[in-house]
Amino acid sequence: LLLERLGVGEFDHEHIGNGERLLEKAVAGLERLQLPSDLLTTYNYLAQVYLAGGQFEQCEATLQKALSAHNEKIGPNAWHGNNLALLGQLYVEWGRISDAEEPLMEGYRESQRLPNIDLITLVRNYVAEFLLHPHSAARNPDDARKLLESNIEESQAGQFSRSEVMSLCLLAQM
């Protein structure tokens, strides 16, 4: 878990290679220990690093591992919802728009089961971006606006600046 925290810190400071290396070591250790609830989080962080680096295949494989690691014995889990939504966001960024809807919407529903405000704000932004995408079959600017407006309010209240900035950017694009 220390390697995970260090890897996230490196990624946040734009040292993507170091972040990736540390997160890969963290995943390997947690896999050896068979700690599925901790793996849900660490897989997510590693997938974000892969996505930021344009490593779409690695990101998809990591998120598939995360989704496989979750089971209902763990119960509702905000990280599981976030992993589903991140898979959908990956598909949006990868240009696989038709593949994005199911994991995004399922991730949104899962994140509602056990809300974690810092994660739900991320999920809402992913869903809003999908609803605004010109090639999305689910395109719905009105629903996207509602999501973004509520997200801005909750992000401000929770002081989740990154989510607030993303929501404001998406709203400005509208």
Side-chain angles (χ1 to χ4, degrees):
L1 292 176
L2 179 58
L3 288 172
E4 175 198 86
R5 301 296 188 262
L6 291 170
V8 169
E10 287 291 298
F11 176 63
D12 283 347
H13 287 92
E14 299 182 14
H15 304 137
I16 294 176
N18 288 340
E20 182 179 327
R21 182 180 52 78
L22 289 165
L23 286 165
E24 286 172 344
K25 285 183 178 183
V27 162
L30 291 168
E31 286 175 341
R32 275 192 310 277
L33 294 171
Q34 298 180 353
L35 297 171
S37 59
D38 290 322
L39 273 166
L40 297 179
T41 306
T42 311
Y43 280 139
N44 183 280
Y45 292 141
L46 181 57
Q48 287 182 55
V49 170
Y50 288 148
L51 183 58
Q55 299 176 65
F56 297 148
E57 292 86 1
Q58 292 91 329
C59 181
E60 182 180 40
T62 300
L63 288 168
Q64 292 297 346
K65 283 183 181 181
L67 297 175
S68 295
H70 178 266
N71 65 47
E72 286 303 316
K73 289 179 187 173
I74 295 172
N77 187 291
W79 282 100
H80 179 64
N82 187 275
N83 286 328
L84 283 162
L86 185 59
L87 181 63
Q89 180 65 20
L90 162 68
Y91 292 145
V92 168
E93 292 191 26
W94 200 347
R96 294 171 52 184
I97 305 305
S98 62
D99 294 331
E101 184 172 8
E102 184 179 332
L104 272 170
M105 296 307 154
E106 189 178 334
Y108 182 70
R109 282 188 297 277
E110 176 73 8
S111 67
Q112 299 295 310
R113 290 176 61 197
L114 185 65
N116 179 321
I117 195 67
D118 57 332
L119 295 180
I120 191 67
T121 59
L122 297 172
V123 172
R124 281 192 200 119
N125 280 333
Y126 297 153
V127 172
E129 186 172 348
F130 175 72
L131 294 173
L132 292 171
H133 196 283
H135 298 111
S136 169
R139 183 172 167 76
N140 188 327
D142 292 334
D143 284 351
R145 179 181 297 280
K146 289 175 192 169
L147 273 176
L148 292 170
E149 288 171 350
S150 89
N151 216 35
I152 290 166
E153 185 177 314
E154 285 191 25
S155 295
Q156 287 172 342
Q159 298 181 352
F160 303 117
S161 300
R162 290 181 184 180
S163 291
E164 180 185 357
V165 167
M166 186 62 190
S167 293
L168 289 166
C169 289
L170 289 167
L171 197 57
Q173 288 177 18
M174 290 182 68

